Amino acid sequence: MGTGVSRNADGGLHGGEEREESLDQAGGQLYVSLKMENYKKKGDLIPHVYGSVPLVGSWDSSKALSMERESTSMWELSFVVPPNHETLDFKFLLKPKHGYTPCIVEEGPNRQLIGGTLQGDARLALFKLDNEEVLEYRVFIKADRVSPIDLAASWRAYQDNLLPSTVRGIPDVSIDAVPETGHENGSSSLELDLEHYVVPAPSTSANSGLVYAANLAENPRSITFAGGCCDQPATIKEMEVVIPDSPKVYSGSGMVESKSVGTFSPLQKQDNHRGLFVDRGVGSPRLAKSSSSTTFSFDLKLDSQNKNSMPAAAGAVAAAAVADQMLGPKEDRHLALVLVGLPARGKTFTAVKLTRYLRWLGHDTKHFNVGKYRRLKHGTNQSADFFRADNPEGMEARNEVAALAMDDMIAWMQDGGQVGIFDATNSSRSRRNMLMKMAEGKCKIIFLETICNDERIIERNIRLKIQQSPDYAEEPDFEAGLQDFRTRLANYEKVYEPVDEGSYIKMIDMASGHGGQIQVNNISGYLPGRIVFFLVNTHLTPRPIFLTRHGESRHNVRGRIGGDSVLSDTGEIYMKKLANFVEKRLKNERAASIWTSTLQRTILTASPIVGFPKIQWRALDEINAGVCDGMTYEEIKKNMPEEYESRKKDKLRYRYPRGESYLDVIQRLEPVIIELERQRAPVVVISHQAVLRALYAYFADRPLKEIPHIEVPLHTIIEIQMGVTGVQEKRYKLMD
């Protein structure tokens, strides 16, 4: 049982004696396939074959042939037997993945294959371990005569699927000299005008630069228009106030299914035990129970202060969140970043970038802009006099909307929000004291002050303000608006008081990206530390970032995931077109760089590009499919139906067995994002679908749940233009 041999009913070889004779006359050779199946893999022991002829090791275990994994439970080895060695004695053995010892040889007599016929009784392969445990493998043996033509076709298939890497020896950082004369291949050349290849971006594209940044902030829920506290200003037509639904609260006893990776969910007491449910991926949950009710000294309760306070994240972010939950003060579970600074100093720009970054990391973050509240409450036609410190009515109105925004932010945090960014000038100690009093016992406040002494940058920001702000949308005279804003700015400067209280971060002349200072006071904890690190590396220098997948690979053609295959013929055409595009688009950008993963399909795609540094990032490698690497989705559905369904239910959090989830990919991409923010020259990123989905979601500020479904087609370049007005996107499709 458990052994299959290619034989017909009367004991002859499969295909009959006539076919065997004809193949012998045509030079046919014996093709043997050995397979072993076991669902209980033990450690890192790999099945091997060794035996009586040089083909299978000459009974030397160090020369035994390793079997290749065909699926999660099946191992396979195929070979062609030379005509003078058609009597084959062999046995199976287990060897460690790394090293030669200890080798465990199967129990029982040698197996013998004569002319493709297995001698003796069929049997399982039994391996006795040191602890007397016996491992059982089912064995499948198939032998066929194949013609030279079929053998050649089989070899071509082997080359297509298991071709050794063609990029070995290429250093991680390299640069190819620009050729003295360029010769373009006719099939890969591009039109002179690259606009010919522009295609429409999706409706949810990264075009925040086309929208006034404050309008992207949270809509007030304390200000309503229908039967509420104020009337809707006629000048604000696009504003719509939406009260968000309360987050779902999980209740009931027993185990609670967690919907995030690497996070804890509370479990009620069972059998005098308390435990924490640790979800390590939708496909493989684990329950860690304490041996006594006193093992866990901290009990996480799902109350109004902690409904949703765990980030949708993995790795360091999840670990830090758990530590903060279990060890930190209650108010530290919610963080309020309160902006401070004069108008036109980049506060809203900073708030938008921080919101996007923290959301991408998995923290539930919202941006509350007090100017938006003011416009909804009092309209947009407020002159500079409204902002005078000696105008009691104006001061009262501005403090009122600030309090409304703060109330909304705190209420949102109590419903489960994690990080609120409070965007206003907050230029006086009295205003900041009011906010600290409102936040006492409810959230931790860190002041973030932006200071700019560069008159050139201030003037640019002022002019952008007049062009974009709804405050001046109805002012037809640009110069009149400019004068009014300068007067408003002077009113603030008269009473401005720099931050010197509480916890704070000061950004001094950081906008240009050339020098500047960051001062911190009383800052501690993982998340505040990440925020400081992010702010150190951001700047306003305009530059493009290009995202593109590698050219079509042979695995793409076959529908296989992962792997390290080379490019198809179509992919090789794209790599030439991409080089042509980079040469035309970046001909005046000699400081640009090319980033690839360490997989050969991206390195090969970048190979024709010359004149720019090429840098390989392990972090840019495709999502690790674990034991599913190299399989098609149909094969996963057939052989691993539970994994297939788990992935289908939640692609964001699903983790391949011994592989990664999208949340894992986001965590390893954080250094890439930081470096992209720090760069001042163009960067071309050649990577893979899952990785580019995650990178694109950062720039487009897309919700985490959408990341696995973002469209990143082959042979298309996504240009992300970063600058003072935000992010803008353009797409080029070089090939169908």
Side-chain angles (χ1 to χ4, degrees), residues 11 14 29 40 77 130 176 186 202-203 261 266 270 288 413 418 421 432 449 472 559 570 604-605 610 672 687 697 732:
H14 177 73
Q29 290 182 290
K40 297 180 180 179
L77 175 66
D130 291 339
D176 301 321
S203 57
V261 174
Q270 291 185 351
M413 288 180 173
Q418 295 166 12
I421 299 181
R432 299 194 290 268
E449 185 176 15
Y472 297 98
T570 302
L604 291 172
T605 302
V610 295
V672 178
S687 189
Y732 303 86

Side-chain angles (χ1 to χ4, degrees), residues 707-728:
I707 289 179
H709 310 286
I710 292 174
E711 183 182 0
V712 184
L714 282 169
H715 306 154
T716 301
I717 300 166
I718 303 173
E719 178 178 344
I720 305 292
Q721 187 70 43
M722 301 177 66
V724 294
T725 59
V727 175
Q728 296 182 36

Side-chain angles (χ1 to χ4, degrees), residues 35-43 45 47 69 71-76 94 124-127 129 133-140 658:
K35 294 188 178 184
M36 295 179 66
E37 183 177 45
N38 181 288
Y39 288 94
K40 297 180 180 179
K41 185 174 183 293
K42 195 73 174 179
L45 295 176
R69 183 189 290 276
S71 67
T72 54
S73 59
M74 186 74 75
W75 298 80
E76 193 263 349
L94 301 179
L124 297 172
L126 303 178
F127 300 90
L129 307 183
E133 180 184 357
V134 176
L135 284 181
E136 295 183 353
Y137 282 79
R138 295 179 66 198
V139 176
F140 302 87
R658 301 180 197 155

Side-chain angles (χ1 to χ4, degrees), residues 636-652:
I636 297 173
K637 184 177 182 180
K638 178 182 178 181
N639 299 319
M640 309 168 66
E642 292 183 359
E643 295 295 336
Y644 182 86
E645 290 300 321
S646 294
R647 178 181 177 275
K648 187 177 178 181
K649 288 177 183 177
D650 191 347
K651 287 182 68 177
L652 176 68

Side-chain angles (χ1 to χ4, degrees), residues 553 555 560-565 599 601 622-623 625 628-631:
S553 71
H555 266 27
R560 298 192 178 278
I561 62 176
D564 193 20
S565 64
L599 300 176
R601 54 191 183 273
E622 179 61 296
I623 187 171
C628 300
D629 191 69
M631 300 174 69

